[in-house]
Amino acid sequence: MTAAGVRLPASEPGSSGRALAATAAFLLVAFITFGAALISAPTKGIRIFPLGPYINEAINSGRWFVIAGAVLGIALGAIAAITVYRTWRNRGQRQEMLAAYVFLAPYLIITVVFTVGVLLFALYIAFHKYDIFTAPQFVGLDNFAKAFRTKDFVQSLVNVFWYALVVTIVQTVFALLMAILLNSKMRGREFFRTIFYTPSVTSSVVISMIFWWLYLKTGYLNFGLEKLMGIFGLEWTRVEWLNNPRGLFQLIAMAFGGNISSDLWYLRGPSVTWMAIMFQNIFTTIPTFMLMFLAGLQDVPPTLYEAASIDGATNRQQFFKITVPMLRPVLLLVIVLSTIGTLQIFDQVKILTSGGPLGTSLTPVYLVYREAIGTQGEIQMGYAAAMAFILAIIIFVFTFLQRRFIESGTEQY
């Protein structure tokens, strides 16, 4: 009670505990974020341990990156502190929050250090010239401009365009047809489901090595075709499936006595080698999408088909009027996953062709690997990061358009 007879508000019970908890939350989040920035900072190839020399090197070589990490750590720490301070007074909310973050902490720490930190590192060096062994040099948008000026990168985009177009359409159609077949009443259905799904559980490296063996000039594919053609009295010329740069449109032009110049490589279409890799990917990926369609088909009410049959609808009409509309959510998922996977193809190219012949199997991800590692010249981490972000933007645009045009209207089903 004051002299004027007015009572001053007493301090809130537990306010010191709330402040202490908020301070601890701020320090913990800021420390983890700043530590992730230090670990991810561009340095001149120095080891993390001992920490003293590494921290000095990180501050000297990636000064602005470390400063940005510190600012981000302070901002995230402040948000965490405010959240804890507001929640701490309620015992139930406090216990729930502590339990939740104890379980989430391992995932969040790994994500911040090895995902967010690496992503920010890649974004930072995309605007720099950086070869790991020297300090980054800021070059602005030069790396992005260089990508579009380089034939290899432009050709890789054309290659993955054909790859995504052909593989996505073919494997989606065949996966749906196989799912319909395996969803029907047939003897040994479970056995065939297992057999058809087997290629998808095999490592892509192992599958690539098997197909490399089949695609040899003296391999079983040429041998089988030679024997098959011999039955009809025809002769089969053995094909070098993994070393044939002739494109599909070029082969069609040659059949009619024409040709497409090598200078017009973008008009030749996918090469024989590229189509061979397409077939391999289709063979190994169809079973996964078949399983997705099969799960979707089993959720379609049988009464819809019964009612349609009573009304006189044919199997073809039931397929296009019931099956396809009811599977639109699954269809969207399959097409989006297929597009993302095809645009990011790497394993098969690295193992089978290394981008050849004549760059007809180059892909953006393989180029990112090649420039970042420096397998054919100096290490260009900044240039590789710029290409990676260009590809990420392309994937985002494709995914956005697919969701917009395929997903619209699925809520009615």
Side-chain angles (χ1 to χ4, degrees), residues 92-103:
Q93 292 181 356
R94 180 173 72 245
Q95 292 178 343
E96 184 178 348
M97 179 185 66
L98 289 175
Y101 280 104
V102 165
F103 285 104

Side-chain angles (χ1 to χ4, degrees), residues 24-46:
F26 172 82
L27 293 176
L28 182 61
V29 172
F31 175 77
I32 293 174
T33 306
F34 183 67
L38 279 177
I39 293 174
S40 304
T43 60
K44 293 185 289 187
I46 190 172

Side-chain angles (χ1 to χ4, degrees), residues 149-201:
R149 291 196 306 263
T150 305
K151 178 192 171 183
D152 282 354
F153 183 70
V154 176
Q155 188 173 8
S156 73
L157 293 179
V158 174
N159 290 340
V160 294
F161 167 77
W162 286 117
Y163 193 86
L165 181 66
V166 174
V167 172
T168 299
I169 293 175
V170 173
Q171 69 186 9
T172 300
V173 171
F174 277 92
L176 178 57
L177 295 178
M178 289 178 63
I180 293 174
L181 175 64
L182 294 179
N183 193 51
S184 61
K185 295 180 180 180
M186 57 182 293
R187 182 175 298 179
R189 182 171 57 180
E190 288 74 16
F191 171 77
F192 286 111
R193 287 179 182 178
T194 303
I195 294 298
F196 289 164
Y197 187 69
T198 300
S200 287
V201 300

